[in-house]
Amino acid sequence: MKKKLLELEKNALKALEIADDPSELEKIRVTYLGKKGQLTSIMKNVGELPKSERPEAGKLANIIKSNISKGFEEARDRIVIGKGDQAAFLDVTLPGREPLRGHLHPITLVIKEMCQIFARMGFTVVKGPNVELDYYNFEALNFPKDHPARDMQDTLYVSENVVLRTHTSNMQVRIMEAQKPPLSVIAPGKVYRRDSDVSHTPMFHQLEGFLVDKDVSFGDLKGTLTSFAHQMFGRGTALRFRPSFFPFTEPSAEVDIQCVLCGGKGCRTCSHTGWLEILGSGMIDPEVFRFVGYDPEVYSGFAFGMGFERIAMLKYGIDDIQLFFKNDMRFLRQF
Ligand code: DAH
């Protein structure tokens, strides 16, 4: 058998060496390496040899197979490239490779979804500057200079009177200053604070919403936010309003939704309380109306503000906010 194999190797390599067109090459391949080819039939006989000879014969057959394959590839390169005939080996029946398709970032998806929900309720979408005057970010929202409420937001200053906006509430003042009631507006956008850990990044996204008209009540605020939560997290989602403080709303409330992961039973995500805080809200403070020239005796309104990252983390079950901005394709590809 050893002799047969060596003989076969010699013949095959010789044939490959003198072959000079693709169809001849293919014939050689079939003759020696094909399913019914000579090498294959010899290899089938290995099993009939005495047990002690089998390993050596098998090993030799494999070496010869790989030598012939290598010879085949060399001959193919020589013939195809030599003749400049790549097409001879182009198999047009193979399935194509699908190009990588781009898609929207998870935060963009959540921004779109939330804006659509509020737009359906009649809110107009506006955008505003990220580099903002202290006046719009703080002063006219009833945060006087040196007011302790400013400490809640670790502000990045551009200069003494110019900041990177710490929240989208600046849009309340900008829009009310420019328009007369009635109005209902949402303002999505980037905001900045000097903060970084698993639940904070120096840049994040907020949605501000506000509505001003005659006879607006806290009930209107509750109804609007309840409708939002039901559309975003499911119809039965319970809401809880907790008294809070913001300089630009009075009264103010922080709003929790029933934990979307445990349904309110208590789990790690909701710190076993059954509730998740999602936003700040309240009735617009008369002081803010005075800054923009509205008569607080005639008009009333509500406002709310929430973070898109927080909503996206709850919606998709993400426990580290930094993932949104690391640009790791293994994370981003999942949306
Ligand atoms: N601007 C607040 C913040 O970033 C959030 C907020 C609270 C916005 C209450 C509101 C509001 O419009 O009424 O912490």
Side-chain angles (χ1 to χ4, degrees), residues 17 32 55 71 86 109 115-116 132 144 149 153 155 163 195 201 204 239 242 246 290 313 315 322-323:
E17 216 171 290
Y32 292 99
Q86 295 278 8
L109 289 172
C115 286
Q116 273 163 10
E132 183 57 292
Q153 308 182 352
T155 309
V163 300
D195 217 346
T201 45
F204 59 105
L239 267 72
R242 277 181 294 109
F246 299 100
R290 277 187 205 106
M313 286 167 84
K315 186 177 162 77
Q322 308 276 346
L323 284 167

Side-chain angles (χ1 to χ4, degrees), residues 22 25 74-89:
L25 202 58
E74 277 167 19
R76 188 187 57 188
D77 289 351
R78 174 172 52 81
I79 292 168
V80 173
I81 295 168
K83 291 193 172 165
D85 186 12
Q86 295 278 8
F89 281 85

Side-chain angles (χ1 to χ4, degrees), residues 8-19 28 32 78:
L8 181 138
E9 181 185 32
K10 210 170 85 193
N11 293 340
L13 292 179
K14 201 174 197 175
L16 286 168
E17 216 171 290
I18 52 173
I28 299 169
Y32 292 99
R78 174 172 52 81

Side-chain angles (χ1 to χ4, degrees), residues 82 121 135 165 299 311 314:
M121 289 195 250
Y135 178 78
R165 68 173 173 187
Y299 293 108
I311 303 286
L314 296 176

